[in-house]
């Protein structure tokens, strides 16, 4: 049976693309914090606590041990202030600026990076 891909669309401008590796000592949450800080052009310590927007422990449990393309279509999205954050199970992360709307486009292409 052929698996259909999941297309999630965004209407905001991508600012930062990041990726986490399951073999790394860096958790998905840490990579997201770094990506948000880069997008906002501030130090990570200046960000509001991530737990105000999403449960970091649950996020790390869901995405911490991905197995590449096998579950690449699993996707979590949440908003941190004016930033839309998209986390895909294959390790890709995209931070978009919600104050800069664009025509809707897929968040990620179907094929893994």
């Amino acid at each position: 049976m052929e698996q259909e891909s999941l297309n999630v669309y965004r209407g905001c401008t991508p600012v930062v693309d990041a990726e986490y590796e399951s073999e790394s000592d860096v958790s998905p949450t840490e990579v997201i914090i770094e990506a948000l800080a880069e997008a906002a052009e501030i130090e990570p310590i200046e960000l509001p606590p991530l737990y105000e927007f999403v449960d970091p422990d649950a996020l790390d449990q869901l995405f911490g041990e991905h197995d590449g393309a096998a579950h690449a279509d699993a996707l979590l999205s949440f908003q941190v202030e004016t930033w839309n954050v998209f986390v895909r199970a294959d390790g890709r992360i995209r931070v978009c600026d919600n104050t800069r709307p664009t025509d809707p486009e897929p968040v990620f292409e179907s094929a893994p990076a």
Side-chain angles (χ1 to χ4, degrees):
M1 177 178 210
E2 186 175 316
Q3 183 180 11
E4 292 185 35
S5 65
L6 172 69
N7 283 322
V8 175
Y9 289 82
R10 61 169 172 76
C12 53
T13 302
V15 178
V16 174
D17 286 323
E19 190 166 348
Y20 66 90
E21 298 290 331
S22 61
E23 299 84 27
S24 171
D25 290 337
V26 181
S27 70
T29 296
E30 291 171 294
V31 176
I32 290 167
I33 291 169
E34 290 292 329
L36 282 164
E38 182 181 338
E41 298 178 346
I42 59 175
E43 292 297 316
I45 194 86
E46 297 175 68
L47 289 169
L50 193 60
Y51 64 79
E52 292 181 5
F53 307 95
V54 69
D55 182 336
D57 292 331
L59 191 150
D60 287 341
Q61 285 184 337
L62 285 171
F63 295 102
E65 295 188 21
H66 65 84
D67 58 355
H71 301 288
D73 286 337
L75 179 74
L76 173 71
S77 66
F78 58 95
Q79 189 171 349
V80 175
E81 296 184 335
T82 62
W83 305 101
N84 290 345
V85 180
F86 301 91
V87 184
R88 190 166 151 156
D90 64 0
R92 292 188 285 173
I93 297 167
R94 175 162 279 172
V95 178
C96 297
D97 184 348
N98 199 24
T99 66
R100 295 170 39 202
T102 64
D103 290 333
E105 292 183 20
V107 175
F108 299 107
E109 297 300 320
S110 298

